[in-house]
Amino acid sequence: MANNKGLGRGIEALFADNDVEEGQEEVIDLSLAKLSPNPFQPRTHFDTQALKDLTLSIKKSGVFQPIIVRKQSGKEDSYEILAGERRFRASRMANKQTIPAIIRDASDEQMMEIAVLENLQREDLNPIEEAEAYNTLMTKLDITQAEVSKRLGKSRPYIANYLRLLGLPTVVKEMLTKNQLSMGQARTLLSVKDKQNLIKLAKRAYNETLTVRQLSKAIDELTAKPKKKRKPRRSTKQSPFLRAYEDELQDKFGTNVNIASSRSKKGSGKLEINYTSDEDLNRILQILDINLD
């Protein structure tokens, strides 16, 4: 087990007082040639247009906020970037030779957590990158989903839902990475056990721009038992507000959700959440934060 005691406080210390006070820390100009990215960086795709925009800004006005680096172990006068890789990349594109930086101490454990936190705060990781980031924290730091949840301020079902994406076929994960599928569509596809059917449905969802509701219906039709009449999902007189709530819940749970108003008593009704297996039921219970252990 990695020694992680006090890791959260260490992260806070690394980023506390980012406005450098005189006599405490020094902002120095480091050669870009001496810098290398955070080796635990979860992002593999950087938005090209956003980098071009940042490059133009740096060409015109320079880098206003220093990046944060640590000395690279075993290499003299070399540094690894803790935070600010986009500024580093854009500075290289702008043909700059140096960049303002603050040097701080950080362990490998802190480097990993920083890499995930910085990108999560920016909200620019794609779902697969985010899932792999959580998996890396668990594997490298030897910690549980619950510990990742606590450190990053995310619920356990949230972490679990992302980790489940790593079990999707490679071609479907690539579609998710390229934003050809939404997170809601990917969660819905997880209920399909046959790999080839899953891939076909993923491609159909993209080619036909299916909503989560439509994709869920296609899955039901594919897995439905022959000659069995399907009960209508909703009344034609259903309120548009209830229909909107159904859509939101269906996207959240990645399965069919049905809200039926009572005909006998105003303001009452029934909420149904479909599941296709014991595993699927456990997934939904996790989202509801229900744990019988």
Side-chain angles (χ1 to χ4, degrees), residues 149 155-158 252-253 282-292:
S149 167
S155 70
R156 277 200 301 171
Y158 180 95
K252 179 179 180 65
F253 292 113
N282 288 331
R283 176 185 66 83
I284 293 169
L285 291 174
Q286 279 191 321
I287 296 173
L288 292 170
D289 204 18
I290 297 174
N291 188 352
L292 300 181

Side-chain angles (χ1 to χ4, degrees), residues 108-274:
D108 284 352
E109 288 85 353
Q110 288 172 321
M111 289 280 283
M112 277 184 270
E113 196 166 356
I114 288 166
V116 175
L117 283 171
E118 183 191 19
N119 283 287
L120 287 178
Q121 288 169 357
R122 292 180 56 85
E123 297 183 344
D124 58 357
L125 290 180
N126 65 58
I128 296 301
E129 287 175 334
E130 188 168 342
E132 288 175 342
Y134 297 144
N135 189 56
T136 296
L137 284 177
M138 291 172 61
T139 304
K140 299 293 186 182
L141 303 187
D142 193 17
I143 59 178
T144 65
Q145 284 186 28
E147 289 174 294
V148 172
S149 167
K150 185 176 180 181
R151 291 184 186 196
L152 302 182
K154 304 284 186 181
S155 70
R156 277 200 301 171
Y158 180 95
I159 301 294
N161 276 332
Y162 273 87
L163 289 171
R164 291 178 70 240
L165 297 178
L166 298 179
L168 289 168
T170 300
V171 64
V172 179
K173 288 192 288 188
E174 289 174 354
M175 292 176 70
L176 192 53
T177 297
K178 296 175 182 177
N179 293 319
Q180 294 175 347
L181 291 174
S182 70
M183 181 67 177
Q185 289 172 319
R187 286 205 307 265
T188 303
L189 288 166
L190 284 166
S191 65
V192 181
K193 303 307 177 185
D194 184 87
K195 180 179 177 181
Q196 294 306 316
N197 282 338
L198 194 156
I199 293 172
K200 287 178 182 178
L201 285 163
K203 291 181 177 178
R204 180 182 168 188
Y206 171 64
N207 292 329
E208 299 178 21
T209 60
L210 299 181
T211 64
V212 170
R213 180 184 298 280
Q214 291 168 333
L215 178 58
S216 182
K217 183 178 179 181
I219 292 172
D220 285 346
E221 291 172 349
L222 181 68
T223 58
K225 294 180 180 179
K227 297 182 181 179
K228 185 176 180 180
K229 287 188 176 181
R230 293 174 53 81
K231 186 184 289 186
R233 294 193 63 252
R234 59 152 68 109
S235 166
T236 55
K237 297 181 180 179
Q238 186 186 40
S239 158
F241 296 104
L242 290 182
R243 186 169 301 192
Y245 288 139
E246 272 191 2
D247 287 337
E248 290 293 327
L249 288 169
Q250 192 155 271
D251 185 55
K252 179 179 180 65
F253 292 113
T255 189
N256 274 338
V257 175
N258 196 23
I259 302 176
S261 299
S262 172
R263 295 182 179 181
S264 59
K265 185 178 178 182
K266 187 176 180 180
S268 65
K270 182 168 61 175
L271 172 64
E272 294 180 341
I273 303 173
N274 293 352

Side-chain angles (χ1 to χ4, degrees), residues 4 7 10-11 14-15 36-43 68-73 78-85 102 104-119 133 136-137 140-141 151-152:
N4 301 309
L7 182 56
I11 295 294
L14 284 167
F15 289 96
S36 59
N38 187 330
F40 308 107
Q41 169 66 262
R43 250 192 312 173
I68 301 174
V69 303
R70 74 168 183 178
K71 288 188 176 180
Q72 191 169 3
S73 177
S78 294
Y79 304 86
E80 291 175 327
I81 300 169
L82 276 74
E85 185 171 340
I102 299 169
R104 291 182 180 167
D105 293 326
S107 65
D108 284 352
E109 288 85 353
Q110 288 172 321
M111 289 280 283
M112 277 184 270
E113 196 166 356
I114 288 166
V116 175
L117 283 171
E118 183 191 19
N119 283 287
T136 296
L137 284 177
K140 299 293 186 182
L141 303 187
R151 291 184 186 196
L152 302 182

